[in-house]
């Protein structure tokens, strides 16, 4: 039997109401801003104030999470030597992926994006944010899993990317595979599982992006 359970402690909701007449404009403006986000693979090495990164990570930390366990860790890599090591390890794994580990079908999908095993952005972008998913915590010497950690961290990363974009920064959601080398290079404990690696910076002056489109609303939404 479980011991005595704590009672919830409740406080009044601080809900900032948006005037009815303003709601659609706010929704439109936010969509227009977010719809300009593109995944960027070509970066300038121009400096980014660390305060912008801090505020975006603080925003990511507002995400809802399973049992409010906030199962995320954001490691910000600025150090050139660490970035070099990450690039070296990522390119080694990516070489294997592009030359045998990925299926023909998968490679056909990626051909349109023009990706390959070369990852210069891992050294050029001023910051790499490596997101870890905390899969268990220790409580009184006992391991306890976190709950819905994949979903929770996924939501937090969505907020992170939105916040960085809103602050005028470009990002790439990069998932070298396998990503275990990030745990080793960054010396993270074994309950922190690499989730995604996000280069952040300003785009290169001549940055190009794939000519791709987003599915229209009627292809992604169903009202029943
Ligand atoms: N991780 C590899 C391959 C890759 C996979 C997917 I799914 C993409 O949308 C893009 C790339 C890479 O980063 O190149």
């Amino acid at each position: 039997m479980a011991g005595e359970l704590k009672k919830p402690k409740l406080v009044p909701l601080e809900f900032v109401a948006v005037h009815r007449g303003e709601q659609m404009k706010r929704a439109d403006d936010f969509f227009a801003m977010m719809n300009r986000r593109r995944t960027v693979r070509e970066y300038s090495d121009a400096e980014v104030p660390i305060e912008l990164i801090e505020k975006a990570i603080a925003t990511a930390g507002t995400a809802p999470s399973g049992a409010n366990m906030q199962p995320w860790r954001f490691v910000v890599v600025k150090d050139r030597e660490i970035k070099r090591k990450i690039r070296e390890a990522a390119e080694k794994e990516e070489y294997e992926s592009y030359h045998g580990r990925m299926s023909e079908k998968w490679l056909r999908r990626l051909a349109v994006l023009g990706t390959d095993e070369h990852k210069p952005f891992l050294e050029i972008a001023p910051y790499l944010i490596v997101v870890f998913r905390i899969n268990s915590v220790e409580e009184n010497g006992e391991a306890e899993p976190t709950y819905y950690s994949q979903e929770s961290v996924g939501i937090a990363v969505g907020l992170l990317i939105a916040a960085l974009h809103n602050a005028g920064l470009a990002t790439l959601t990069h998932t070298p595979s396998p990503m275990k080398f990030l745990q080793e290079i960054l010396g993270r404990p074994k309950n922190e599982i690499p989730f995604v690696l996000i280069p952040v910076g300003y785009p290169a002056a001549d940055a190009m992006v794939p000519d791709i489109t987003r599915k229209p609303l009627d292809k992604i939404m169903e009202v029943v």
Side-chain angles (χ1 to χ4, degrees), residues 49-99:
I50 187 78
E51 291 78 11
L52 292 179
I53 306 290
E54 288 171 350
K55 194 58 73 174
I57 291 175
T59 303
T62 69
S65 64
N68 190 35
M69 289 177 85
Q70 305 168 52
W72 39 65
R73 173 92 59 218
F74 301 90
V75 178
V76 179
V77 182
K78 172 176 187 244
D79 183 89
R80 279 179 189 282
E81 182 53 20
I82 302 177
K83 285 198 286 180
R84 193 195 60 73
K85 279 191 188 152
I86 290 176
R87 177 184 181 180
E88 191 177 25
E91 287 186 335
K92 211 161 123 193
E93 293 296 353
E94 293 292 81
Y95 181 88
E96 295 303 326
S97 296
Y98 280 91
H99 296 84

Side-chain angles (χ1 to χ4, degrees), residues 41 94 97-98 102 106-107 109-110 113-119 121 172-177:
R41 295 189 169 80
E94 293 292 81
S97 296
Y98 280 91
M102 288 192 280
W106 192 348
L107 290 171
R109 292 274 178 192
L110 297 187
L113 305 177
T115 59
D116 60 24
E117 72 271 27
H118 302 293
K119 307 297 178 191
F121 50 75
L172 163 62
T173 35
H174 178 44
T175 51
S177 174

